[in-house]
Amino acid sequence: MVKDVDLFAAAMGDVKPLAGRKRAAAKAKPPPAPSSKKRGATSAVGWGRTGVGGAPGTTSAPELTLDDHTFDRDTVRALGRGKLVPQASLDLHGMTLAAAERAVANFLDAAVTQDLRIILIVTGKGARLEGGRVLGGRIRAEFVGWLNRGDNRSRVRGVRPAHPRHGGSGAFYVLLRRRSSASSRSLRATPQR
């Protein structure tokens, strides 16, 4: 990844110093050797990424995180005040990791097919004492990673912990992408002017 110092040095490379001052010696580092990147790894320029299929030149959104601000302020307020409720929910309690991952993928597929906007997925807090230590839930820990995988990432716009009335830290709101309006209507159906 390109560091700010390197970008600054490149931008200031052709600048002449003021009279009576010497140019500071810049440490020239050779560019890193190209290595085999994992699918979906961040490129050095901007936040372009390889697409879902891994084809070079295609871009997609950055990986989802829980501190992501992908929900707009009005949506967050409406959810918090109870004026907006999730349109569907999925409870993953009692499932194995593999079963929960399949259930999340199937649920996202069904929600996108129904053109839902906000869904709730309950993972459970998973906090328990074992050997004097507090352990977090495995489903909760893996959940955001599942959303960042392949087809799931192309369907999801954002994720954030739910309001306490909807499960708090044991549940997540998932904001889904809208389907393309061109695929749902014919261009001939629009009035011609």
Side-chain angles (χ1 to χ4, degrees), residues 38-75:
K38 292 181 181 178
R39 179 181 294 189
T42 306
S43 67
V45 180
W47 49 284
R49 302 170 51 82
T50 58
V52 174
T58 60
T59 60
S60 66
E63 286 190 3
L64 295 169
T65 59
L66 290 180
D67 58 351
D68 211 2
H69 300 304
T70 52
F71 280 54
D72 62 14
R73 185 177 58 189
D74 294 336
T75 303

PDB file of all heavy atoms in Angstrom, residues 38-75:
ATOM      1  N   LYS A  38      -4.353 -12.034  -2.735  1.00  0.00           N
ATOM      2  CA  LYS A  38      -5.556 -12.825  -2.531  1.00  0.00           C
ATOM      3  C   LYS A  38      -6.689 -12.195  -3.310  1.00  0.00           C
ATOM      4  O   LYS A  38      -6.694 -11.004  -3.565  1.00  0.00           O
ATOM      5  CB  LYS A  38      -5.932 -12.852  -1.046  1.00  0.00           C
ATOM      6  CG  LYS A  38      -4.958 -13.615  -0.198  1.00  0.00           C
ATOM      7  CD  LYS A  38      -5.448 -13.602   1.234  1.00  0.00           C
ATOM      8  CE  LYS A  38      -4.487 -14.328   2.141  1.00  0.00           C
ATOM      9  NZ  LYS A  38      -4.917 -14.277   3.525  1.00  0.00           N
ATOM     10  N   ARG A  39      -7.695 -12.979  -3.640  1.00  0.00           N
ATOM     11  CA  ARG A  39      -8.867 -12.457  -4.336  1.00  0.00           C
ATOM     12  C   ARG A  39      -9.510 -11.399  -3.455  1.00  0.00           C
ATOM     13  O   ARG A  39      -9.750 -11.600  -2.285  1.00  0.00           O
ATOM     14  CB  ARG A  39      -9.871 -13.557  -4.598  1.00  0.00           C
ATOM     15  CG  ARG A  39     -11.107 -13.027  -5.293  1.00  0.00           C
ATOM     16  CD  ARG A  39     -12.088 -14.102  -5.521  1.00  0.00           C
ATOM     17  NE  ARG A  39     -11.534 -15.047  -6.475  1.00  0.00           N
ATOM     18  CZ  ARG A  39     -12.218 -16.021  -7.014  1.00  0.00           C
ATOM     19  NH1 ARG A  39     -13.459 -16.210  -6.685  1.00  0.00           N
ATOM     20  NH2 ARG A  39     -11.674 -16.835  -7.874  1.00  0.00           N
ATOM     21  N   GLY A  40      -9.772 -10.231  -4.054  1.00  0.00           N
ATOM     22  CA  GLY A  40     -10.445  -9.171  -3.318  1.00  0.00           C
ATOM     23  C   GLY A  40      -9.476  -8.296  -2.541  1.00  0.00           C
ATOM     24  O   GLY A  40      -9.897  -7.492  -1.758  1.00  0.00           O
ATOM     25  N   ALA A  41      -8.165  -8.450  -2.736  1.00  0.00           N
ATOM     26  CA  ALA A  41      -7.222  -7.633  -1.989  1.00  0.00           C
ATOM     27  C   ALA A  41      -7.256  -6.204  -2.508  1.00  0.00           C
ATOM     28  O   ALA A  41      -7.512  -5.943  -3.675  1.00  0.00           O
ATOM     29  CB  ALA A  41      -5.817  -8.202  -2.137  1.00  0.00           C
ATOM     30  N   THR A  42      -6.975  -5.262  -1.627  1.00  0.00           N
ATOM     31  CA  THR A  42      -7.038  -3.851  -1.980  1.00  0.00           C
ATOM     32  C   THR A  42      -5.881  -3.494  -2.887  1.00  0.00           C
ATOM     33  O   THR A  42      -4.754  -3.891  -2.651  1.00  0.00           O
ATOM     34  CB  THR A  42      -6.973  -2.995  -0.703  1.00  0.00           C
ATOM     35  OG1 THR A  42      -7.983  -3.442   0.176  1.00  0.00           O
ATOM     36  CG2 THR A  42      -7.159  -1.537  -1.004  1.00  0.00           C
ATOM     37  N   SER A  43      -6.145  -2.718  -3.910  1.00  0.00           N
ATOM     38  CA  SER A  43      -5.082  -2.280  -4.802  1.00  0.00           C
ATOM     39  C   SER A  43      -4.418  -1.052  -4.212  1.00  0.00           C
ATOM     40  O   SER A  43      -4.900  -0.451  -3.273  1.00  0.00           O
ATOM     41  CB  SER A  43      -5.654  -1.960  -6.181  1.00  0.00           C
ATOM     42  OG  SER A  43      -6.483  -0.840  -6.117  1.00  0.00           O
ATOM     43  N   ALA A  44      -3.284  -0.637  -4.792  1.00  0.00           N
ATOM     44  CA  ALA A  44      -2.529   0.477  -4.248  1.00  0.00           C
ATOM     45  C   ALA A  44      -3.165   1.812  -4.571  1.00  0.00           C
ATOM     46  O   ALA A  44      -2.872   2.800  -3.940  1.00  0.00           O
ATOM     47  CB  ALA A  44      -1.105   0.440  -4.791  1.00  0.00           C
ATOM     48  N   VAL A  45      -4.020   1.878  -5.538  1.00  0.00           N
ATOM     49  CA  VAL A  45      -4.608   3.148  -5.941  1.00  0.00           C
ATOM     50  C   VAL A  45      -6.047   3.211  -5.476  1.00  0.00           C
ATOM     51  O   VAL A  45      -6.843   2.354  -5.791  1.00  0.00           O
ATOM     52  CB  VAL A  45      -4.545   3.318  -7.470  1.00  0.00           C
ATOM     53  CG1 VAL A  45      -5.147   4.624  -7.885  1.00  0.00           C
ATOM     54  CG2 VAL A  45      -3.126   3.201  -7.951  1.00  0.00           C
ATOM     55  N   GLY A  46      -6.377   4.242  -4.739  1.00  0.00           N
ATOM     56  CA  GLY A  46      -7.756   4.433  -4.284  1.00  0.00           C
ATOM     57  C   GLY A  46      -8.246   3.265  -3.464  1.00  0.00           C
ATOM     58  O   GLY A  46      -7.487   2.616  -2.767  1.00  0.00           O
ATOM     59  N   TRP A  47      -9.535   2.978  -3.540  1.00  0.00           N
ATOM     60  CA  TRP A  47     -10.062   1.810  -2.866  1.00  0.00           C
ATOM     61  C   TRP A  47     -10.668   0.868  -3.869  1.00  0.00           C
ATOM     62  O   TRP A  47     -11.569   0.124  -3.599  1.00  0.00           O
ATOM     63  CB  TRP A  47     -11.003   2.154  -1.714  1.00  0.00           C
ATOM     64  CG  TRP A  47     -12.077   3.130  -2.001  1.00  0.00           C
ATOM     65  CD1 TRP A  47     -11.953   4.466  -2.115  1.00  0.00           C
ATOM     66  CD2 TRP A  47     -13.470   2.862  -2.211  1.00  0.00           C
ATOM     67  NE1 TRP A  47     -13.143   5.042  -2.387  1.00  0.00           N
ATOM     68  CE2 TRP A  47     -14.101   4.082  -2.445  1.00  0.00           C
ATOM     69  CE3 TRP A  47     -14.240   1.721  -2.225  1.00  0.00           C
ATOM     70  CZ2 TRP A  47     -15.448   4.177  -2.689  1.00  0.00           C
ATOM     71  CZ3 TRP A  47     -15.581   1.840  -2.461  1.00  0.00           C
ATOM     72  CH2 TRP A  47     -16.163   3.051  -2.688  1.00  0.00           C
ATOM     73  N   GLY A  48     -10.069   0.876  -5.069  1.00  0.00           N
ATOM     74  CA  GLY A  48     -10.497  -0.069  -6.086  1.00  0.00           C
ATOM     75  C   GLY A  48     -10.129  -1.473  -5.655  1.00  0.00           C
ATOM     76  O   GLY A  48      -9.115  -1.688  -5.022  1.00  0.00           O
ATOM     77  N   ARG A  49     -10.956  -2.413  -5.995  1.00  0.00           N
ATOM     78  CA  ARG A  49     -10.734  -3.790  -5.594  1.00  0.00           C
ATOM     79  C   ARG A  49     -11.075  -4.675  -6.767  1.00  0.00           C
ATOM     80  O   ARG A  49     -11.765  -4.274  -7.664  1.00  0.00           O
ATOM     81  CB  ARG A  49     -11.631  -4.162  -4.407  1.00  0.00           C
ATOM     82  CG  ARG A  49     -11.411  -3.261  -3.216  1.00  0.00           C
ATOM     83  CD  ARG A  49     -12.471  -3.507  -2.188  1.00  0.00           C
ATOM     84  NE  ARG A  49     -12.621  -4.896  -1.869  1.00  0.00           N
ATOM     85  CZ  ARG A  49     -11.880  -5.570  -1.030  1.00  0.00           C
ATOM     86  NH1 ARG A  49     -10.903  -4.959  -0.415  1.00  0.00           N
ATOM     87  NH2 ARG A  49     -12.105  -6.835  -0.793  1.00  0.00           N
ATOM     88  N   THR A  50     -10.570  -5.874  -6.694  1.00  0.00           N
ATOM     89  CA  THR A  50     -11.003  -6.795  -7.721  1.00  0.00           C
ATOM     90  C   THR A  50     -12.443  -7.134  -7.453  1.00  0.00           C
ATOM     91  O   THR A  50     -12.889  -7.146  -6.313  1.00  0.00           O
ATOM     92  CB  THR A  50     -10.145  -8.068  -7.710  1.00  0.00           C
ATOM     93  OG1 THR A  50     -10.232  -8.653  -6.434  1.00  0.00           O
ATOM     94  CG2 THR A  50      -8.716  -7.769  -8.083  1.00  0.00           C
ATOM     95  N   GLY A  51     -13.189  -7.358  -8.485  1.00  0.00           N
ATOM     96  CA  GLY A  51     -14.616  -7.596  -8.360  1.00  0.00           C
ATOM     97  C   GLY A  51     -14.925  -8.945  -7.757  1.00  0.00           C
ATOM     98  O   GLY A  51     -14.044  -9.707  -7.384  1.00  0.00           O
ATOM     99  N   VAL A  52     -16.206  -9.255  -7.665  1.00  0.00           N
ATOM    100  CA  VAL A  52     -16.659 -10.490  -7.051  1.00  0.00           C
ATOM    101  C   VAL A  52     -16.064 -11.685  -7.756  1.00  0.00           C
ATOM    102  O   VAL A  52     -15.627 -12.641  -7.143  1.00  0.00           O
ATOM    103  CB  VAL A  52     -18.201 -10.553  -7.064  1.00  0.00           C
ATOM    104  CG1 VAL A  52     -18.682 -11.886  -6.576  1.00  0.00           C
ATOM    105  CG2 VAL A  52     -18.775  -9.434  -6.231  1.00  0.00           C
ATOM    106  N   GLY A  53     -15.966 -11.622  -9.060  1.00  0.00           N
ATOM    107  CA  GLY A  53     -15.404 -12.732  -9.804  1.00  0.00           C
ATOM    108  C   GLY A  53     -13.892 -12.742  -9.808  1.00  0.00           C
ATOM    109  O   GLY A  53     -13.270 -13.661 -10.290  1.00  0.00           O
ATOM    110  N   GLY A  54     -13.266 -11.690  -9.288  1.00  0.00           N
ATOM    111  CA  GLY A  54     -11.822 -11.614  -9.233  1.00  0.00           C
ATOM    112  C   GLY A  54     -11.220 -11.096 -10.524  1.00  0.00           C
ATOM    113  O   GLY A  54     -10.021 -11.122 -10.687  1.00  0.00           O
ATOM    114  N   ALA A  55     -12.024 -10.626 -11.465  1.00  0.00           N
ATOM    115  CA  ALA A  55     -11.503 -10.138 -12.734  1.00  0.00           C
ATOM    116  C   ALA A  55     -10.814  -8.797 -12.511  1.00  0.00           C
ATOM    117  O   ALA A  55     -11.346  -7.928 -11.855  1.00  0.00           O
ATOM    118  CB  ALA A  55     -12.641  -9.982 -13.737  1.00  0.00           C
ATOM    119  N   PRO A  56      -9.600  -8.631 -13.024  1.00  0.00           N
ATOM    120  CA  PRO A  56      -8.912  -7.358 -12.849  1.00  0.00           C
ATOM    121  C   PRO A  56      -9.649  -6.252 -13.591  1.00  0.00           C
ATOM    122  O   PRO A  56     -10.248  -6.472 -14.635  1.00  0.00           O
ATOM    123  CB  PRO A  56      -7.530  -7.611 -13.447  1.00  0.00           C
ATOM    124  CG  PRO A  56      -7.587  -8.898 -14.169  1.00  0.00           C
ATOM    125  CD  PRO A  56      -8.827  -9.610 -13.759  1.00  0.00           C
ATOM    126  N   GLY A  57      -9.592  -5.057 -13.001  1.00  0.00           N
ATOM    127  CA  GLY A  57     -10.221  -3.914 -13.641  1.00  0.00           C
ATOM    128  C   GLY A  57     -11.634  -3.669 -13.170  1.00  0.00           C
ATOM    129  O   GLY A  57     -12.170  -2.599 -13.380  1.00  0.00           O
ATOM    130  N   THR A  58     -12.269  -4.629 -12.539  1.00  0.00           N
ATOM    131  CA  THR A  58     -13.603  -4.398 -12.009  1.00  0.00           C
ATOM    132  C   THR A  58     -13.471  -3.889 -10.592  1.00  0.00           C
ATOM    133  O   THR A  58     -12.529  -4.232  -9.884  1.00  0.00           O
ATOM    134  CB  THR A  58     -14.446  -5.693 -12.014  1.00  0.00           C
ATOM    135  OG1 THR A  58     -13.784  -6.667 -11.206  1.00  0.00           O
ATOM    136  CG2 THR A  58     -14.641  -6.212 -13.416  1.00  0.00           C
ATOM    137  N   THR A  59     -14.408  -3.058 -10.163  1.00  0.00           N
ATOM    138  CA  THR A  59     -14.336  -2.506  -8.820  1.00  0.00           C
ATOM    139  C   THR A  59     -15.590  -2.852  -8.055  1.00  0.00           C
ATOM    140  O   THR A  59     -16.654  -3.068  -8.623  1.00  0.00           O
ATOM    141  CB  THR A  59     -14.179  -0.974  -8.856  1.00  0.00           C
ATOM    142  OG1 THR A  59     -15.294  -0.428  -9.533  1.00  0.00           O
ATOM    143  CG2 THR A  59     -12.888  -0.567  -9.512  1.00  0.00           C
ATOM    144  N   SER A  60     -15.434  -2.921  -6.750  1.00  0.00           N
ATOM    145  CA  SER A  60     -16.572  -3.120  -5.874  1.00  0.00           C
ATOM    146  C   SER A  60     -16.326  -2.323  -4.612  1.00  0.00           C
ATOM    147  O   SER A  60     -15.259  -1.755  -4.421  1.00  0.00           O
ATOM    148  CB  SER A  60     -16.764  -4.607  -5.568  1.00  0.00           C
ATOM    149  OG  SER A  60     -15.670  -5.090  -4.823  1.00  0.00           O
ATOM    150  N   ALA A  61     -17.293  -2.297  -3.749  1.00  0.00           N
ATOM    151  CA  ALA A  61     -17.192  -1.520  -2.526  1.00  0.00           C
ATOM    152  C   ALA A  61     -16.177  -2.149  -1.580  1.00  0.00           C
ATOM    153  O   ALA A  61     -15.870  -3.320  -1.669  1.00  0.00           O
ATOM    154  CB  ALA A  61     -18.559  -1.462  -1.870  1.00  0.00           C
ATOM    155  N   PRO A  62     -15.660  -1.356  -0.633  1.00  0.00           N
ATOM    156  CA  PRO A  62     -14.723  -1.912   0.341  1.00  0.00           C
ATOM    157  C   PRO A  62     -15.415  -2.892   1.273  1.00  0.00           C
ATOM    158  O   PRO A  62     -16.645  -2.957   1.317  1.00  0.00           O
ATOM    159  CB  PRO A  62     -14.250  -0.672   1.104  1.00  0.00           C
ATOM    160  CG  PRO A  62     -15.302   0.349   0.898  1.00  0.00           C
ATOM    161  CD  PRO A  62     -15.904   0.056  -0.444  1.00  0.00           C
ATOM    162  N   GLU A  63     -14.624  -3.649   2.005  1.00  0.00           N
ATOM    163  CA  GLU A  63     -15.185  -4.644   2.907  1.00  0.00           C
ATOM    164  C   GLU A  63     -16.050  -3.986   3.979  1.00  0.00           C
ATOM    165  O   GLU A  63     -15.777  -2.881   4.424  1.00  0.00           O
ATOM    166  CB  GLU A  63     -14.065  -5.441   3.575  1.00  0.00           C
ATOM    167  CG  GLU A  63     -13.420  -6.423   2.655  1.00  0.00           C
ATOM    168  CD  GLU A  63     -12.479  -7.359   3.392  1.00  0.00           C
ATOM    169  OE1 GLU A  63     -12.372  -7.274   4.620  1.00  0.00           O
ATOM    170  OE2 GLU A  63     -11.855  -8.165   2.715  1.00  0.00           O
ATOM    171  N   LEU A  64     -17.068  -4.711   4.385  1.00  0.00           N
ATOM    172  CA  LEU A  64     -17.952  -4.236   5.443  1.00  0.00           C
ATOM    173  C   LEU A  64     -17.270  -4.370   6.791  1.00  0.00           C
ATOM    174  O   LEU A  64     -16.539  -5.323   7.033  1.00  0.00           O
ATOM    175  CB  LEU A  64     -19.237  -5.065   5.466  1.00  0.00           C
ATOM    176  CG  LEU A  64     -20.142  -4.970   4.251  1.00  0.00           C
ATOM    177  CD1 LEU A  64     -21.210  -6.035   4.321  1.00  0.00           C
ATOM    178  CD2 LEU A  64     -20.769  -3.605   4.191  1.00  0.00           C
ATOM    179  N   THR A  65     -17.538  -3.433   7.675  1.00  0.00           N
ATOM    180  CA  THR A  65     -17.109  -3.506   9.063  1.00  0.00           C
ATOM    181  C   THR A  65     -18.263  -3.040   9.933  1.00  0.00           C
ATOM    182  O   THR A  65     -19.191  -2.390   9.456  1.00  0.00           O
ATOM    183  CB  THR A  65     -15.887  -2.608   9.326  1.00  0.00           C
ATOM    184  OG1 THR A  65     -16.223  -1.261   9.008  1.00  0.00           O
ATOM    185  CG2 THR A  65     -14.679  -3.050   8.531  1.00  0.00           C
ATOM    186  N   LEU A  66     -18.199  -3.375  11.217  1.00  0.00           N
ATOM    187  CA  LEU A  66     -19.283  -2.987  12.116  1.00  0.00           C
ATOM    188  C   LEU A  66     -19.261  -1.506  12.455  1.00  0.00           C
ATOM    189  O   LEU A  66     -20.279  -0.951  12.813  1.00  0.00           O
ATOM    190  CB  LEU A  66     -19.231  -3.816  13.401  1.00  0.00           C
ATOM    191  CG  LEU A  66     -19.600  -5.274  13.214  1.00  0.00           C
ATOM    192  CD1 LEU A  66     -19.528  -6.001  14.539  1.00  0.00           C
ATOM    193  CD2 LEU A  66     -20.991  -5.405  12.631  1.00  0.00           C
ATOM    194  N   ASP A  67     -18.115  -0.850  12.348  1.00  0.00           N
ATOM    195  CA  ASP A  67     -18.069   0.582  12.618  1.00  0.00           C
ATOM    196  C   ASP A  67     -18.290   1.398  11.345  1.00  0.00           C
ATOM    197  O   ASP A  67     -18.074   2.584  11.309  1.00  0.00           O
ATOM    198  CB  ASP A  67     -16.750   0.972  13.275  1.00  0.00           C
ATOM    199  CG  ASP A  67     -15.547   0.596  12.427  1.00  0.00           C
ATOM    200  OD1 ASP A  67     -15.726  -0.116  11.423  1.00  0.00           O
ATOM    201  OD2 ASP A  67     -14.438   1.010  12.782  1.00  0.00           O
ATOM    202  N   ASP A  68     -18.749   0.722  10.326  1.00  0.00           N
ATOM    203  CA  ASP A  68     -19.022   1.336   9.032  1.00  0.00           C
ATOM    204  C   ASP A  68     -20.192   2.313   9.147  1.00  0.00           C
ATOM    205  O   ASP A  68     -21.154   2.051   9.842  1.00  0.00           O
ATOM    206  CB  ASP A  68     -19.380   0.234   8.045  1.00  0.00           C
ATOM    207  CG  ASP A  68     -18.960   0.561   6.637  1.00  0.00           C
ATOM    208  OD1 ASP A  68     -18.357   1.611   6.411  1.00  0.00           O
ATOM    209  OD2 ASP A  68     -19.255  -0.247   5.767  1.00  0.00           O
ATOM    210  N   HIS A  69     -20.115   3.413   8.458  1.00  0.00           N
ATOM    211  CA  HIS A  69     -21.192   4.400   8.466  1.00  0.00           C
ATOM    212  C   HIS A  69     -21.950   4.352   7.145  1.00  0.00           C
ATOM    213  O   HIS A  69     -22.117   5.356   6.473  1.00  0.00           O
ATOM    214  CB  HIS A  69     -20.638   5.794   8.722  1.00  0.00           C
ATOM    215  CG  HIS A  69     -19.933   5.914  10.033  1.00  0.00           C
ATOM    216  ND1 HIS A  69     -20.524   5.596  11.222  1.00  0.00           N
ATOM    217  CD2 HIS A  69     -18.679   6.286  10.340  1.00  0.00           C
ATOM    218  CE1 HIS A  69     -19.674   5.800  12.209  1.00  0.00           C
ATOM    219  NE2 HIS A  69     -18.537   6.204  11.694  1.00  0.00           N
ATOM    220  N   THR A  70     -22.403   3.153   6.771  1.00  0.00           N
ATOM    221  CA  THR A  70     -23.085   2.999   5.494  1.00  0.00           C
ATOM    222  C   THR A  70     -24.575   3.261   5.593  1.00  0.00           C
ATOM    223  O   THR A  70     -25.227   3.416   4.583  1.00  0.00           O
ATOM    224  CB  THR A  70     -22.865   1.584   4.933  1.00  0.00           C
ATOM    225  OG1 THR A  70     -23.215   0.645   5.941  1.00  0.00           O
ATOM    226  CG2 THR A  70     -21.421   1.380   4.540  1.00  0.00           C
ATOM    227  N   PHE A  71     -25.104   3.297   6.810  1.00  0.00           N
ATOM    228  CA  PHE A  71     -26.511   3.654   6.993  1.00  0.00           C
ATOM    229  C   PHE A  71     -26.582   5.171   7.088  1.00  0.00           C
ATOM    230  O   PHE A  71     -25.772   5.785   7.780  1.00  0.00           O
ATOM    231  CB  PHE A  71     -27.043   3.079   8.307  1.00  0.00           C
ATOM    232  CG  PHE A  71     -27.420   1.628   8.249  1.00  0.00           C
ATOM    233  CD1 PHE A  71     -26.546   0.666   7.808  1.00  0.00           C
ATOM    234  CD2 PHE A  71     -28.673   1.226   8.669  1.00  0.00           C
ATOM    235  CE1 PHE A  71     -26.889  -0.660   7.771  1.00  0.00           C
ATOM    236  CE2 PHE A  71     -29.034  -0.108   8.636  1.00  0.00           C
ATOM    237  CZ  PHE A  71     -28.138  -1.052   8.190  1.00  0.00           C
ATOM    238  N   ASP A  72     -27.531   5.774   6.412  1.00  0.00           N
ATOM    239  CA  ASP A  72     -27.642   7.220   6.540  1.00  0.00           C
ATOM    240  C   ASP A  72     -28.264   7.572   7.891  1.00  0.00           C
ATOM    241  O   ASP A  72     -28.865   6.751   8.567  1.00  0.00           O
ATOM    242  CB  ASP A  72     -28.411   7.833   5.375  1.00  0.00           C
ATOM    243  CG  ASP A  72     -29.844   7.345   5.265  1.00  0.00           C
ATOM    244  OD1 ASP A  72     -30.346   6.741   6.212  1.00  0.00           O
ATOM    245  OD2 ASP A  72     -30.449   7.571   4.209  1.00  0.00           O
ATOM    246  N   ARG A  73     -28.081   8.812   8.294  1.00  0.00           N
ATOM    247  CA  ARG A  73     -28.505   9.264   9.619  1.00  0.00           C
ATOM    248  C   ARG A  73     -30.001   9.109   9.833  1.00  0.00           C
ATOM    249  O   ARG A  73     -30.450   8.713  10.910  1.00  0.00           O
ATOM    250  CB  ARG A  73     -28.092  10.721   9.803  1.00  0.00           C
ATOM    251  CG  ARG A  73     -28.371  11.251  11.185  1.00  0.00           C
ATOM    252  CD  ARG A  73     -27.898  12.649  11.333  1.00  0.00           C
ATOM    253  NE  ARG A  73     -28.551  13.480  10.323  1.00  0.00           N
ATOM    254  CZ  ARG A  73     -28.217  14.731  10.071  1.00  0.00           C
ATOM    255  NH1 ARG A  73     -27.238  15.291  10.705  1.00  0.00           N
ATOM    256  NH2 ARG A  73     -28.868  15.424   9.162  1.00  0.00           N
ATOM    257  N   ASP A  74     -30.796   9.395   8.818  1.00  0.00           N
ATOM    258  CA  ASP A  74     -32.251   9.290   8.958  1.00  0.00           C
ATOM    259  C   ASP A  74     -32.693   7.847   9.183  1.00  0.00           C
ATOM    260  O   ASP A  74     -33.595   7.591   9.975  1.00  0.00           O
ATOM    261  CB  ASP A  74     -32.945   9.853   7.714  1.00  0.00           C
ATOM    262  CG  ASP A  74     -32.724  11.350   7.566  1.00  0.00           C
ATOM    263  OD1 ASP A  74     -32.465  12.014   8.593  1.00  0.00           O
ATOM    264  OD2 ASP A  74     -32.807  11.849   6.430  1.00  0.00           O
ATOM    265  N   THR A  75     -32.049   6.906   8.507  1.00  0.00           N
ATOM    266  CA  THR A  75     -32.384   5.494   8.689  1.00  0.00           C
ATOM    267  C   THR A  75     -32.031   5.043  10.102  1.00  0.00           C
ATOM    268  O   THR A  75     -32.814   4.350  10.754  1.00  0.00           O
ATOM    269  CB  THR A  75     -31.648   4.627   7.659  1.00  0.00           C
ATOM    270  OG1 THR A  75     -31.978   5.075   6.350  1.00  0.00           O
ATOM    271  CG2 THR A  75     -32.006   3.163   7.807  1.00  0.00           C
TER     272      THR A  75
END
